[in-house]
Amino acid sequence: SRSWLARAFRRVTMPGLLLPLTRLFAHMRIRGKENLANLKGPVIFAPNHQSHMDTPCVLAALPARYRYRAGVALWKEYFDPYFHPESYGKLHSFGNALLYWVVTLFFNAFPLPQTETGASSSLRYLGELISGGWSVLYFPEGERSLTEELLPFQPGIGLIASRLNVPIVPVRL
């Protein structure tokens, strides 16, 4: 998803398709963007999680210098039919695989397991992103809240930030 072809694809589709659609369906008021003006280097954007529109909304609100160089951590277990097709029907696995590839391509997303093994390779990848100058969109609640109340944060965001020596920018949706 970080190949030149994938990045070029996002450079065209994000302003030409995704951002206009996001702004059409999500009426946003953006406040505090000026706080990012003096921020240097990669950061971890840590929004609360309320809907499937959260990722495109946050990306639409970010300055271009962060929008086009961001990786999005996604809940790996949501894509279980893609990673473990033997446990699901072919149609369900195919649909989930297609969704996984679309999300990965359009949003530079990468899987981050919460209950399965494999977190170390995902965290290593997250570190590679940060080291390469990419910022990360990381939902610390780990799942969508069905109310406006914040859910407890999953373990890891503080450790990641301190180990990588990268600031966390809280985002309220």
Side-chain angles (χ1 to χ4, degrees), residues 88-106:
Y88 298 88
K90 289 184 193 261
L91 188 60
H92 190 166
S93 295
F94 174 77
N96 193 263
L98 184 61
L99 179 62
Y100 176 77
W101 286 105
V102 165
V103 169
T104 301
L105 180 61
F106 276 97

